[in-house]
Amino acid sequence: MNRREMLKIGSAGSLAVALPAIAIATTEPQPAHAAVPLWEVFELTLNGPSTGNPFADVQFAATFSLGHRTVAVDGFYDGAGAYKLRFMPDTPGEWGYTTTSNAADLTGRTGRFTCIAALAGAHGPVQPRNTHHFAYADGTPFFPFGTTCYAWVHQSEDLQQQTLQSLRSAPFNKIRMCVFPKHYEYNHNEPPLYPFERNAAGQHDFTRPNPAYFAHIEQRIADLRVLGIEADLILFHPYDRWGYATMPSEADDRYLRYVLARMSAYRNIWWSLANEFDLMKAKSVQDFDRFFKIVEQHDPANHLRSVHYSRVMYDYSHPWVTHGCLQTANFDAAAGWLAAWRKPIMFDEVQYEGNLNRRWGNLSGEEMARRFWLGVIAGCYVTHGETYLDPDQPLDENTTPTIWWSHGGKLRGTSPDRIAFLRKLVEDTAATAGKDARRTGFEAQPTAYYLNASTVDATGTGTQQILYFMDFHQPIYYEFPLPAGKFTAELIDPWEMKISALSGTFEGTTKLKLSGRPFSAVRFRRV
Amino acid sequence: MNRREMLKIGSAGSLAVALPAIAIATTEPQPAHAAVPLWEVFELTLNGPSTGNPFADVQFAATFSLGHRTVAVDGFYDGAGAYKLRFMPDTPGEWGYTTTSNAADLTGRTGRFTCIAALAGAHGPVQPRNTHHFAYADGTPFFPFGTTCYAWVHQSEDLQQQTLQSLRSAPFNKIRMCVFPKHYEYNHNEPPLYPFERNAAGQHDFTRPNPAYFAHIEQRIADLRVLGIEADLILFHPYDRWGYATMPSEADDRYLRYVLARMSAYRNIWWSLANEFDLMKAKSVQDFDRFFKIVEQHDPANHLRSVHYSRVMYDYSHPWVTHGCLQTANFDAAAGWLAAWRKPIMFDEVQYEGNLNRRWGNLSGEEMARRFWLGVIAGCYVTHGETYLDPDQPLDENTTPTIWWSHGGKLRGTSPDRIAFLRKLVEDTAATAGKDARRTGFEAQPTAYYLNASTVDATGTGTQQILYFMDFHQPIYYEFPLPAGKFTAELIDPWEMKISALSGTFEGTTKLKLSGRPFSAVRFRRV
């Protein structure tokens, strides 16, 4: 169900269990009892004041309750006199709600719905799990293999549909994307919509968000949700010619509250406070500390929260940060950061596969694939990006070609297939671990002398899998120190995406003859 | 002329201007006047006491003089009653000498020789030049492209000859080699000779060096000199089962004095105080400080001096160290070290091309070649090593196969040809610089945004050449910021070893279409 359909149901005053979003329009009388599957969106629309500045003047919220538990939820003004509440129930049962407002039409409204079992394929929001890893709310492990399309929702509808089509067959289950439009090299087009009301002179009224702008982004988030892709939503960024990077503090905070009220109920959101926060010269680290606290306070779903930097790293040890979001390919330092922060680490920008006139945008496909392997072997996760220019395109940075990293479109690179192959290897740790959450995902097992190794179990007991990646080393044979027990062994060619099982089982120090080619891998699995 | 021939002339009492070493045997009367080319070896042999322990009991030295200048030179006992003085004249003219000794036969002897012009191809010892680079004494730039054969002089004569044959066509002009034999994985054979007298029980008398042992090494150094290869002579190392790594301090110092007296006159020696000094648990950093001072004091030729570490870096800022000798591939840190030490830096151990069961010994040829490029682009120099096991060899580390890194023999890898190609590119900076010493060699020119670039000129004016290496980046076009003036441009494929000249000349910011393949390079040369 898309956003337009959902609004239609609301305005008709009808009541429907419409999936994936549940829209309930109440005027008078109170709506009948609805059933909302776990982790879907319950939406209530009430009519209220449309004079003055409803965004600024009208407070609207609700308390949702299940037994003795209560959850505070902010409502928002959606234009044309419509006030909305969205809520993602996280527990099955009989939920009730009561609204509060400074507007008589909007206060004291009550209602109920039943949260029923989750739909097939819905696992809830992603949370940190087992210190360095992630899982959905239902316990299903989540291994992020993300990509980057910063401004894809601000391109033409055709291009957005092409991007969604590309994502359908791509190996990515997370996407970094900006709420605000982007101004940068190769990014000179105006967005179809603007986030705030804008007068003829192009001046923005930051007190008046444009509901259609946010509804459009929500539609894209819902599209991603259908594809099983997490939206790593970037709330601020420095690449701006409209003034969104330099709003006054009150406008920043109001904007955040508006986005949180509108979007928190989408289970597939991660909050990325900024891209390259340290390049936003109008903001300080303290501003971002405050933003984190606003997000933490006003997101009833407690989505993942982090922030991305350019040169000066944010302090990821803060308790309000759920995971590291790094711009570096310094995988050697990962062990220290993991130990210091005790959180999962995303290497969210390791440069991009492509052929641009910039060092961040011209990695070979081999190097991009290698960086994914190095990240996994370091016990972390890596995000893809792609920056291919058509070689026949004129050599001019002031044009706006279609480049995946910002605009979406089609993938041209050689790394995605290899990333898909690696993702399957990593997901296999969950398949073999069964329900034991501690045995999913790879933990780095650094030793002074051997090549990097990782095992599935950080506790040192019951290791189920061990993955070696040889990088640019090419031993013709190698001694692998296996933990107690019997293991099968497979030789892996990460580039050719081939797995060759060796016959028999192996115990103790195991000397294997290898290919003698660089960039090979070896996997051991417990019998 | 080899060592055996030289000794023959000495023992016959004849006098000959024999090249490359000049051997003069004096009994009575005084030898006639000899002519010694610049930077060759003047050698004087006197008969003296052979009873007791002549190594310990007899002091023997000389003062060489040219006009008002005097140079102190230690003599040494060469066995069988023969005492020798070796001296490498560094200035043409009429040199005189006077011996001093506590033995009557050896003291007060005087003589003269004429230092004449250098032989063709002889440029003198290598010294630091222009802060981060090297040159021979005659001003000819020297760009070290070294290799590593730690124990090659302790193998069979056939194998040593094969090594020399391999070096004849290899791209290497420096070789890291140990005075003492080596005990390690794949190094279990006994050396043909021992450096000290040894009784039937295998006990060494560290007060009695074995002259034949040192004469053999000198022969190999002379062989290398003919090939134009610098002998980076490693004086101590930890890989020992004979006791040479754990001698008492007095024995260490006496050994150093003996080597210095015997070998300093060979112009192609660099003193490497140790391989992995920090793994020599019987020695302290202070011991190595003392060794440096002994070498500095007793080497009349003032050869290059450094020391190699494993984990704990020696303090290369000490004034007695002439250059850095690093075991790392952290080229990113080079700029900091160059600025701190203001000395040339050799990345003398960056791991080895090969296929061993050890991460230090199984780099791909591509990665070894890449590390040479990264080192050059960082304004430093890199040393090669090769560790290929025959794939059909039994997988057993207790055998003694022939592996280039330690034994010499034949080169099997793919990197040497590419290293030869890069060496030519670097040497070309001298060809175009003419006599301007400041314009040879590449200095790193790090900029925040562009790929690594290097130019031939550290002063920022008169840049003659600029070399870009794209590493794993693959831009389809790139903007190169050229300094003032006109330049030619060439696209370089470092692996295929191809140089494609672009037509025309280029000025200012120059946008070039590139191959779009990784590991490419671009060279600009001033018109």
Side-chain angles (χ1 to χ4, degrees), chain A residues 377-403:
Chain A
I377 288 291
C380 301
Y381 298 95
V382 182
T383 297
H384 164 269
E386 187 180 292
T387 46
Y388 276 105
L389 270 186
D390 185 335
D392 298 325
Q393 202 141 21
L395 306 185
D396 180 356
E397 289 153 15
N398 296 316
T399 59
T400 298
T402 300
I403 306 179

PDB file of all heavy atoms in Angstrom, chain A residues 377-403:
ATOM      1  N   ILE A 377      36.630  -9.694   8.279  1.00  0.00           N
ATOM      2  CA  ILE A 377      37.676 -10.394   9.032  1.00  0.00           C
ATOM      3  C   ILE A 377      38.038  -9.598  10.291  1.00  0.00           C
ATOM      4  O   ILE A 377      38.466 -10.168  11.299  1.00  0.00           O
ATOM      5  CB  ILE A 377      38.920 -10.593   8.125  1.00  0.00           C
ATOM      6  CG1 ILE A 377      38.630 -11.660   7.077  1.00  0.00           C
ATOM      7  CG2 ILE A 377      40.148 -10.963   8.936  1.00  0.00           C
ATOM      8  CD1 ILE A 377      38.498 -13.066   7.606  1.00  0.00           C
ATOM      9  N   ALA A 378      37.838  -8.293  10.238  1.00  0.00           N
ATOM     10  CA  ALA A 378      38.092  -7.461  11.424  1.00  0.00           C
ATOM     11  C   ALA A 378      36.915  -7.497  12.398  1.00  0.00           C
ATOM     12  O   ALA A 378      36.943  -6.817  13.422  1.00  0.00           O
ATOM     13  CB  ALA A 378      38.382  -6.020  10.998  1.00  0.00           C
ATOM     14  N   GLY A 379      35.890  -8.262  12.087  1.00  0.00           N
ATOM     15  CA  GLY A 379      34.747  -8.368  12.990  1.00  0.00           C
ATOM     16  C   GLY A 379      33.783  -7.197  12.860  1.00  0.00           C
ATOM     17  O   GLY A 379      33.009  -6.924  13.781  1.00  0.00           O
ATOM     18  N   CYS A 380      33.831  -6.516  11.718  1.00  0.00           N
ATOM     19  CA  CYS A 380      33.000  -5.330  11.504  1.00  0.00           C
ATOM     20  C   CYS A 380      32.161  -5.515  10.236  1.00  0.00           C
ATOM     21  O   CYS A 380      32.124  -6.586   9.661  1.00  0.00           O
ATOM     22  CB  CYS A 380      33.892  -4.097  11.361  1.00  0.00           C
ATOM     23  SG  CYS A 380      34.929  -3.794  12.797  1.00  0.00           S
ATOM     24  N   TYR A 381      31.510  -4.422   9.815  1.00  0.00           N
ATOM     25  CA  TYR A 381      30.679  -4.447   8.616  1.00  0.00           C
ATOM     26  C   TYR A 381      31.040  -3.263   7.726  1.00  0.00           C
ATOM     27  O   TYR A 381      31.512  -2.236   8.219  1.00  0.00           O
ATOM     28  CB  TYR A 381      29.198  -4.443   9.008  1.00  0.00           C
ATOM     29  CG  TYR A 381      28.858  -5.681   9.807  1.00  0.00           C
ATOM     30  CD1 TYR A 381      28.862  -5.660  11.203  1.00  0.00           C
ATOM     31  CD2 TYR A 381      28.617  -6.887   9.162  1.00  0.00           C
ATOM     32  CE1 TYR A 381      28.606  -6.812  11.934  1.00  0.00           C
ATOM     33  CE2 TYR A 381      28.350  -8.036   9.882  1.00  0.00           C
ATOM     34  CZ  TYR A 381      28.342  -8.003  11.272  1.00  0.00           C
ATOM     35  OH  TYR A 381      28.101  -9.140  11.977  1.00  0.00           O
ATOM     36  N   VAL A 382      30.803  -3.427   6.436  1.00  0.00           N
ATOM     37  CA  VAL A 382      31.301  -2.469   5.453  1.00  0.00           C
ATOM     38  C   VAL A 382      30.145  -2.028   4.549  1.00  0.00           C
ATOM     39  O   VAL A 382      29.219  -2.798   4.299  1.00  0.00           O
ATOM     40  CB  VAL A 382      32.426  -3.109   4.599  1.00  0.00           C
ATOM     41  CG1 VAL A 382      32.999  -2.103   3.609  1.00  0.00           C
ATOM     42  CG2 VAL A 382      33.523  -3.656   5.513  1.00  0.00           C
ATOM     43  N   THR A 383      30.218  -0.798   4.082  1.00  0.00           N
ATOM     44  CA  THR A 383      29.199  -0.254   3.193  1.00  0.00           C
ATOM     45  C   THR A 383      29.798   0.069   1.826  1.00  0.00           C
ATOM     46  O   THR A 383      30.886   0.632   1.738  1.00  0.00           O
ATOM     47  CB  THR A 383      28.572   1.010   3.816  1.00  0.00           C
ATOM     48  OG1 THR A 383      27.921   0.623   5.036  1.00  0.00           O
ATOM     49  CG2 THR A 383      27.552   1.636   2.883  1.00  0.00           C
ATOM     50  N   HIS A 384      29.051  -0.301   0.823  1.00  0.00           N
ATOM     51  CA  HIS A 384      29.446  -0.127  -0.576  1.00  0.00           C
ATOM     52  C   HIS A 384      29.044   1.253  -1.096  1.00  0.00           C
ATOM     53  O   HIS A 384      28.115   1.880  -0.584  1.00  0.00           O
ATOM     54  CB  HIS A 384      28.716  -1.224  -1.376  1.00  0.00           C
ATOM     55  CG  HIS A 384      28.659  -1.031  -2.854  1.00  0.00           C
ATOM     56  ND1 HIS A 384      27.624  -0.369  -3.488  1.00  0.00           N
ATOM     57  CD2 HIS A 384      29.502  -1.435  -3.836  1.00  0.00           C
ATOM     58  CE1 HIS A 384      27.828  -0.382  -4.789  1.00  0.00           C
ATOM     59  NE2 HIS A 384      28.958  -1.021  -5.038  1.00  0.00           N
ATOM     60  N   GLY A 385      29.736   1.689  -2.132  1.00  0.00           N
ATOM     61  CA  GLY A 385      29.312   2.845  -2.889  1.00  0.00           C
ATOM     62  C   GLY A 385      29.907   2.720  -4.273  1.00  0.00           C
ATOM     63  O   GLY A 385      30.931   2.036  -4.453  1.00  0.00           O
ATOM     64  N   GLU A 386      29.280   3.359  -5.245  1.00  0.00           N
ATOM     65  CA  GLU A 386      29.762   3.187  -6.621  1.00  0.00           C
ATOM     66  C   GLU A 386      29.719   4.518  -7.345  1.00  0.00           C
ATOM     67  O   GLU A 386      28.711   5.223  -7.313  1.00  0.00           O
ATOM     68  CB  GLU A 386      28.890   2.154  -7.333  1.00  0.00           C
ATOM     69  CG  GLU A 386      29.434   1.806  -8.697  1.00  0.00           C
ATOM     70  CD  GLU A 386      28.578   0.787  -9.423  1.00  0.00           C
ATOM     71  OE1 GLU A 386      28.531  -0.366  -8.989  1.00  0.00           O
ATOM     72  OE2 GLU A 386      27.957   1.183 -10.423  1.00  0.00           O
ATOM     73  N   THR A 387      30.810   4.858  -8.006  1.00  0.00           N
ATOM     74  CA  THR A 387      30.947   6.174  -8.648  1.00  0.00           C
ATOM     75  C   THR A 387      31.530   6.028 -10.045  1.00  0.00           C
ATOM     76  O   THR A 387      32.606   6.555 -10.336  1.00  0.00           O
ATOM     77  CB  THR A 387      31.864   7.078  -7.805  1.00  0.00           C
ATOM     78  OG1 THR A 387      33.011   6.313  -7.428  1.00  0.00           O
ATOM     79  CG2 THR A 387      31.166   7.600  -6.571  1.00  0.00           C
ATOM     80  N   TYR A 388      30.807   5.312 -10.892  1.00  0.00           N
ATOM     81  CA  TYR A 388      31.264   5.190 -12.280  1.00  0.00           C
ATOM     82  C   TYR A 388      30.655   6.280 -13.149  1.00  0.00           C
ATOM     83  O   TYR A 388      29.446   6.429 -13.213  1.00  0.00           O
ATOM     84  CB  TYR A 388      30.876   3.833 -12.862  1.00  0.00           C
ATOM     85  CG  TYR A 388      31.868   2.747 -12.518  1.00  0.00           C
ATOM     86  CD1 TYR A 388      31.567   1.789 -11.559  1.00  0.00           C
ATOM     87  CD2 TYR A 388      33.115   2.714 -13.123  1.00  0.00           C
ATOM     88  CE1 TYR A 388      32.480   0.792 -11.234  1.00  0.00           C
ATOM     89  CE2 TYR A 388      34.033   1.723 -12.806  1.00  0.00           C
ATOM     90  CZ  TYR A 388      33.709   0.769 -11.857  1.00  0.00           C
ATOM     91  OH  TYR A 388      34.624  -0.191 -11.541  1.00  0.00           O
ATOM     92  N   LEU A 389      31.544   6.987 -13.818  1.00  0.00           N
ATOM     93  CA  LEU A 389      31.136   7.872 -14.898  1.00  0.00           C
ATOM     94  C   LEU A 389      31.214   7.079 -16.188  1.00  0.00           C
ATOM     95  O   LEU A 389      32.125   6.286 -16.385  1.00  0.00           O
ATOM     96  CB  LEU A 389      32.139   9.028 -15.030  1.00  0.00           C
ATOM     97  CG  LEU A 389      31.907  10.290 -14.251  1.00  0.00           C
ATOM     98  CD1 LEU A 389      32.961  11.294 -14.695  1.00  0.00           C
ATOM     99  CD2 LEU A 389      30.520  10.841 -14.494  1.00  0.00           C
ATOM    100  N   ASP A 390      30.282   7.324 -17.071  1.00  0.00           N
ATOM    101  CA  ASP A 390      30.398   6.774 -18.401  1.00  0.00           C
ATOM    102  C   ASP A 390      31.676   7.334 -19.037  1.00  0.00           C
ATOM    103  O   ASP A 390      31.856   8.552 -19.105  1.00  0.00           O
ATOM    104  CB  ASP A 390      29.166   7.209 -19.208  1.00  0.00           C
ATOM    105  CG  ASP A 390      29.146   6.586 -20.587  1.00  0.00           C
ATOM    106  OD1 ASP A 390      30.217   6.229 -21.101  1.00  0.00           O
ATOM    107  OD2 ASP A 390      28.041   6.477 -21.147  1.00  0.00           O
ATOM    108  N   PRO A 391      32.601   6.474 -19.494  1.00  0.00           N
ATOM    109  CA  PRO A 391      33.871   6.979 -20.050  1.00  0.00           C
ATOM    110  C   PRO A 391      33.656   7.934 -21.213  1.00  0.00           C
ATOM    111  O   PRO A 391      34.521   8.763 -21.496  1.00  0.00           O
ATOM    112  CB  PRO A 391      34.591   5.709 -20.523  1.00  0.00           C
ATOM    113  CG  PRO A 391      33.944   4.588 -19.790  1.00  0.00           C
ATOM    114  CD  PRO A 391      32.530   5.010 -19.493  1.00  0.00           C
ATOM    115  N   ASP A 392      32.514   7.832 -21.891  1.00  0.00           N
ATOM    116  CA  ASP A 392      32.281   8.703 -23.039  1.00  0.00           C
ATOM    117  C   ASP A 392      31.590  10.006 -22.652  1.00  0.00           C
ATOM    118  O   ASP A 392      31.335  10.854 -23.500  1.00  0.00           O
ATOM    119  CB  ASP A 392      31.445   7.960 -24.088  1.00  0.00           C
ATOM    120  CG  ASP A 392      32.191   6.740 -24.598  1.00  0.00           C
ATOM    121  OD1 ASP A 392      33.441   6.825 -24.712  1.00  0.00           O
ATOM    122  OD2 ASP A 392      31.560   5.714 -24.843  1.00  0.00           O
ATOM    123  N   GLN A 393      31.306  10.143 -21.361  1.00  0.00           N
ATOM    124  CA  GLN A 393      30.675  11.369 -20.890  1.00  0.00           C
ATOM    125  C   GLN A 393      31.705  12.511 -20.948  1.00  0.00           C
ATOM    126  O   GLN A 393      32.887  12.293 -20.741  1.00  0.00           O
ATOM    127  CB  GLN A 393      30.260  11.152 -19.438  1.00  0.00           C
ATOM    128  CG  GLN A 393      29.179  12.072 -18.974  1.00  0.00           C
ATOM    129  CD  GLN A 393      28.206  11.305 -18.056  1.00  0.00           C
ATOM    130  OE1 GLN A 393      28.552  10.282 -17.501  1.00  0.00           O
ATOM    131  NE2 GLN A 393      27.006  11.817 -17.922  1.00  0.00           N
ATOM    132  N   PRO A 394      31.247  13.752 -21.248  1.00  0.00           N
ATOM    133  CA  PRO A 394      32.226  14.856 -21.276  1.00  0.00           C
ATOM    134  C   PRO A 394      32.861  15.032 -19.898  1.00  0.00           C
ATOM    135  O   PRO A 394      32.223  14.813 -18.876  1.00  0.00           O
ATOM    136  CB  PRO A 394      31.391  16.072 -21.670  1.00  0.00           C
ATOM    137  CG  PRO A 394      29.957  15.664 -21.537  1.00  0.00           C
ATOM    138  CD  PRO A 394      29.895  14.174 -21.608  1.00  0.00           C
ATOM    139  N   LEU A 395      34.124  15.432 -19.892  1.00  0.00           N
ATOM    140  CA  LEU A 395      34.885  15.514 -18.641  1.00  0.00           C
ATOM    141  C   LEU A 395      34.563  16.810 -17.924  1.00  0.00           C
ATOM    142  O   LEU A 395      35.344  17.742 -17.914  1.00  0.00           O
ATOM    143  CB  LEU A 395      36.373  15.416 -18.931  1.00  0.00           C
ATOM    144  CG  LEU A 395      36.813  14.192 -19.745  1.00  0.00           C
ATOM    145  CD1 LEU A 395      38.314  14.151 -19.866  1.00  0.00           C
ATOM    146  CD2 LEU A 395      36.304  12.916 -19.108  1.00  0.00           C
ATOM    147  N   ASP A 396      33.390  16.868 -17.320  1.00  0.00           N
ATOM    148  CA  ASP A 396      32.949  18.121 -16.738  1.00  0.00           C
ATOM    149  C   ASP A 396      32.192  17.818 -15.457  1.00  0.00           C
ATOM    150  O   ASP A 396      31.174  17.127 -15.460  1.00  0.00           O
ATOM    151  CB  ASP A 396      32.038  18.841 -17.736  1.00  0.00           C
ATOM    152  CG  ASP A 396      31.535  20.170 -17.188  1.00  0.00           C
ATOM    153  OD1 ASP A 396      31.825  20.483 -16.015  1.00  0.00           O
ATOM    154  OD2 ASP A 396      30.860  20.872 -17.946  1.00  0.00           O
ATOM    155  N   GLU A 397      32.690  18.356 -14.355  1.00  0.00           N
ATOM    156  CA  GLU A 397      32.066  18.063 -13.072  1.00  0.00           C
ATOM    157  C   GLU A 397      30.799  18.865 -12.825  1.00  0.00           C
ATOM    158  O   GLU A 397      30.111  18.654 -11.842  1.00  0.00           O
ATOM    159  CB  GLU A 397      33.052  18.362 -11.933  1.00  0.00           C
ATOM    160  CG  GLU A 397      34.174  17.357 -11.888  1.00  0.00           C
ATOM    161  CD  GLU A 397      35.424  17.935 -11.276  1.00  0.00           C
ATOM    162  OE1 GLU A 397      35.326  18.996 -10.647  1.00  0.00           O
ATOM    163  OE2 GLU A 397      36.488  17.324 -11.434  1.00  0.00           O
ATOM    164  N   ASN A 398      30.517  19.801 -13.695  1.00  0.00           N
ATOM    165  CA  ASN A 398      29.328  20.628 -13.479  1.00  0.00           C
ATOM    166  C   ASN A 398      28.069  20.033 -14.106  1.00  0.00           C
ATOM    167  O   ASN A 398      26.992  20.584 -13.969  1.00  0.00           O
ATOM    168  CB  ASN A 398      29.566  22.039 -14.011  1.00  0.00           C
ATOM    169  CG  ASN A 398      30.671  22.706 -13.221  1.00  0.00           C
ATOM    170  OD1 ASN A 398      30.705  22.607 -12.000  1.00  0.00           O
ATOM    171  ND2 ASN A 398      31.585  23.341 -13.916  1.00  0.00           N
ATOM    172  N   THR A 399      28.237  18.928 -14.799  1.00  0.00           N
ATOM    173  CA  THR A 399      27.062  18.227 -15.305  1.00  0.00           C
ATOM    174  C   THR A 399      26.472  17.394 -14.170  1.00  0.00           C
ATOM    175  O   THR A 399      27.059  17.254 -13.103  1.00  0.00           O
ATOM    176  CB  THR A 399      27.442  17.301 -16.467  1.00  0.00           C
ATOM    177  OG1 THR A 399      28.411  16.378 -15.982  1.00  0.00           O
ATOM    178  CG2 THR A 399      28.028  18.091 -17.615  1.00  0.00           C
ATOM    179  N   THR A 400      25.280  16.877 -14.381  1.00  0.00           N
ATOM    180  CA  THR A 400      24.674  15.979 -13.403  1.00  0.00           C
ATOM    181  C   THR A 400      24.428  14.640 -14.075  1.00  0.00           C
ATOM    182  O   THR A 400      23.333  14.361 -14.552  1.00  0.00           O
ATOM    183  CB  THR A 400      23.365  16.570 -12.858  1.00  0.00           C
ATOM    184  OG1 THR A 400      23.686  17.794 -12.192  1.00  0.00           O
ATOM    185  CG2 THR A 400      22.722  15.630 -11.848  1.00  0.00           C
ATOM    186  N   PRO A 401      25.466  13.813 -14.153  1.00  0.00           N
ATOM    187  CA  PRO A 401      25.286  12.475 -14.688  1.00  0.00           C
ATOM    188  C   PRO A 401      24.572  11.622 -13.625  1.00  0.00           C
ATOM    189  O   PRO A 401      24.301  12.094 -12.528  1.00  0.00           O
ATOM    190  CB  PRO A 401      26.705  11.994 -14.910  1.00  0.00           C
ATOM    191  CG  PRO A 401      27.513  12.715 -13.884  1.00  0.00           C
ATOM    192  CD  PRO A 401      26.823  14.027 -13.642  1.00  0.00           C
ATOM    193  N   THR A 402      24.277  10.414 -13.973  1.00  0.00           N
ATOM    194  CA  THR A 402      23.657   9.503 -13.002  1.00  0.00           C
ATOM    195  C   THR A 402      24.739   8.608 -12.413  1.00  0.00           C
ATOM    196  O   THR A 402      25.281   7.744 -13.105  1.00  0.00           O
ATOM    197  CB  THR A 402      22.571   8.661 -13.699  1.00  0.00           C
ATOM    198  OG1 THR A 402      21.599   9.556 -14.235  1.00  0.00           O
ATOM    199  CG2 THR A 402      21.892   7.733 -12.707  1.00  0.00           C
ATOM    200  N   ILE A 403      25.060   8.866 -11.163  1.00  0.00           N
ATOM    201  CA  ILE A 403      26.104   8.102 -10.487  1.00  0.00           C
ATOM    202  C   ILE A 403      25.467   7.456  -9.256  1.00  0.00           C
ATOM    203  O   ILE A 403      24.877   8.142  -8.423  1.00  0.00           O
ATOM    204  CB  ILE A 403      27.277   9.012 -10.069  1.00  0.00           C
ATOM    205  CG1 ILE A 403      27.793   9.803 -11.283  1.00  0.00           C
ATOM    206  CG2 ILE A 403      28.389   8.187  -9.442  1.00  0.00           C
ATOM    207  CD1 ILE A 403      28.942  10.753 -10.961  1.00  0.00           C
TER     208      ILE A 403
END
